Amino acid sequence: MGHMASVVGNGVVSNGQASTKIRSYAPATGELIGEAPNTSAEEVRLAVQRAHRAQEAWGALPAEERGARILRFRDAIVDRSDEIVDLLVRECGKPRHEALLHEVMVVADLATHFARVAPKVLAPREIPLHLMKHRKSTVHHVPRGVVAVISPWNYPFQLPLRDAIMALVAGNAVVLKPSEVTPLIALKAKEIWDGAGLPEDLFQVVTGYGATGAALIDSGIQFLVFTGGVATGKRVAAACGERLIPCVMELGGKAPLIACADAELEKTARAIVFGGFSNAGQVCISVERVYAHRDIHDRLLDRVVELTRELRQGDPSQEFVDVGAIIFPHQIEIAEKHIADAVSKGAELRIGGERGPGPGQFFAPTVLANCNHTMTVMKDEIFGPIVPFMRVSTEEEAVRLANESHLGLNAYVYSADREHGRRLAERIEAGSVLVNDVLNNGATSDAPFGGIKQSGFGRAMGDDALREMCATKHISVDRIPMGEKDPLQFPYTEKSYAWFKKGLRLMFGGGSLAKRIGDLF
Ligand code: NAD
């Protein structure tokens, strides 16, 4: 297990002390692959100041123009995709397909989509006022200023660039604090941005530990998009609350998958294996618990175990594998604790359950049967390659158990009857529910993505999220000249009061309009 004894996680020194540099290790080999600055609070403050200055000109550009420049960034990303994939494979130990499809491709698509729709989504809209007809109101979406993005290590290219690109298209500057576990890929994104000739201070990256993130929140930012764990999210939201900084919180998940009695066996089994073990289970929307109807449970479980046995795991820089390494070694201990707790309470370990051979950080894809809600594996986020199964007698029971969670990010329903699946989806407490598919809403840039309950608030992606990157501004202009003396202003007289009282009855009193007019005289 290579560096695990002395280092708990890429760059996190075991005594917890911050160093002046962050070290990044390859999870699949344990090799040191590079260093990044541990940015100080003062450096962060200066970065935010520079971002503010750069934002002024950028925010004044028409959305079409900003979109055109973002497409230059996208073109550079596509041109340099091999470099990005190679680094993602090394720094995260993730399979090449996942680096290409789930990171680079998603970003290229999202940039294209928002560059195209931003002019329309952010265009000023007139509101036809129902009462104050003498005035013309328009809603404008104006850039907030500097948007901070604080991100985790599991999708270290896709997640921060998703938020950064949306913030930039909307006219903001961005300062990104990537995870201390994966700083190099964020610096690569910055290098590509600069290489595309885009304004250097408009998109900046400040690498560092949590303290650098905390400093960023305290440096005069106007908005924050935070993606990370629930515990950190609470601290970060509190820091934003103290400063009244609006924020989006994208936190943990515990996605249930309900397999109905009529679910197609092979399709459902393959989806569970993919949804549970893609990115070695380090996905906020991973399949984290399966509720299988008793009519399908045994066949489904057997097939999932068979398919899991076929998975190839190893160093993705050496060969095409299905499952790569565990990016952050602490996740291996979490996985082991979940398994020990479940087995001690009667779960059956059907496959996996052990660490892979060193020197890299590997954990075998694991399937647990006979699970129930007394076990942590069914209640707390796993964020590793474990799929626990629970047999249910009815769909009612499955829905009740799916909703028995403090988290509510994603959920999945498998049923041959799509309409039935959709009706079940309506009853599940989650930000997104997919019927007969898994994970794909991480890549649908036009649909809202985010959680309820402790999975967070606010949305990444979708038109509303793009507007949320802006402050809403109402401009009201007089349409009809009202003369010098506005009856709504001073002086207050007995006569004007009587008129307004009649007006109240006329407009809002009960009965027909004819009756209300009659009552006035
Ligand atoms: P984490 O919460 O440990 O760290 C996230 C980021 O916050 C890191 O950059 C970290 O340095 C920073 N940070 C830590 N303390 C801070 C502080 N006091 N102030 C400001 N920033 C601080 O999360 P992680 O371990 O990197 O990521 C895993 C978690 O992320 C999982 O719980 C997963 O579910 C969640 N996640 C959620 C989504 C989503 O969209 N909802 C997506 C991916 C991951």
Side-chain angles (χ1 to χ4, degrees), residues 389-434:
F389 263 73
M390 179 168 177
R391 182 195 305 270
V392 292
S393 302
T394 61
E395 284 172 6
E396 285 308 306
E397 187 188 358
V399 170
R400 181 178 58 74
L401 291 165
N403 290 341
E404 198 180 285
S405 175
H406 64 291
L407 298 170
L409 189 58
N410 252 36
Y412 307 108
V413 176
Y414 274 75
S415 167
D417 178 347
R418 283 196 288 269
E419 186 48 32
H420 175 67
R422 199 192 52 72
R423 282 198 302 274
L424 274 188
E426 284 181 8
R427 297 173 53 204
I428 299 174
E429 295 164 5
S432 301
V433 187
L434 274 56

Side-chain angles (χ1 to χ4, degrees), residues 229-248:
V230 173
T232 317
K234 286 181 183 173
R235 281 201 299 278
V236 166
C240 287
E242 269 173 35
R243 294 160 183 81
L244 290 176
I245 296 168
C247 55
V248 171

Side-chain angles (χ1 to χ4, degrees), residues 303-479:
R303 187 63 187 134
V304 164
V305 172
E306 270 172 31
L307 290 168
T308 303
R309 190 164 290 122
E310 288 170 15
L311 294 173
R312 295 153 307 158
Q313 186 173 28
D315 178 356
S317 65
Q318 299 302 314
E319 54 188 332
F320 279 99
V321 291
D322 304 310
V323 182
I326 300 296
I327 305 168
F328 182 41
H330 182 52
Q331 296 303 134
I332 294 181
E333 287 150 38
I334 295 175
E336 286 174 336
K337 273 197 190 128
H338 279 304
I339 294 170
D341 173 79
V343 170
S344 77
K345 291 171 181 164
E348 186 195 341
L349 181 62
R350 289 289 305 265
I351 187 167
E354 75 280 348
R355 295 175 183 223
Q361 299 153 193
F362 291 96
F363 197 81
T366 299
V367 179
L368 290 168
N370 258 335
C371 294
N372 62 53
H373 275 220
T374 65
M375 302 168 184
T376 61
V377 79
M378 294 297 283
K379 292 188 302 193
D380 300 334
E381 191 179 43
I382 305 167
F383 222 61
I386 302 176
V387 172
F389 263 73
M390 179 168 177
R391 182 195 305 270
V392 292
S393 302
T394 61
E395 284 172 6
E396 285 308 306
E397 187 188 358
V399 170
R400 181 178 58 74
L401 291 165
N403 290 341
E404 198 180 285
S405 175
H406 64 291
L407 298 170
L409 189 58
N410 252 36
Y412 307 108
V413 176
Y414 274 75
S415 167
D417 178 347
R418 283 196 288 269
E419 186 48 32
H420 175 67
R422 199 192 52 72
R423 282 198 302 274
L424 274 188
E426 284 181 8
R427 297 173 53 204
I428 299 174
E429 295 164 5
S432 301
V433 187
L434 274 56
V435 177
N436 296 332
D437 204 351
V438 287
L439 307 189
N440 89 23
N441 62 318
T444 44
S445 49
D446 16 27
F449 179 94
I452 59 169
K453 302 187 192 175
Q454 294 202 11
S455 289
F457 48 79
R459 291 293 178 265
M461 306 201 288
D463 291 356
D464 289 341
L466 185 65
R467 286 195 201 98
E468 196 56 27
M469 293 287 184
C470 293
T472 302
K473 184 174 192 174
H474 170 204
I475 297 183
S476 162
V477 179
D478 54 331
R479 197 199 291 274

Side-chain angles (χ1 to χ4, degrees), residues 29 38 72 89 107 118 124 246 298 301 303 318 356 364 396 406 418 481 487 493:
T29 61
N38 182 13
R72 262 168 47 198
V89 166
V107 170
D298 292 356
L301 175 63
R303 187 63 187 134
Q318 299 302 314
E396 285 308 306
H406 64 291
R418 283 196 288 269
T493 64

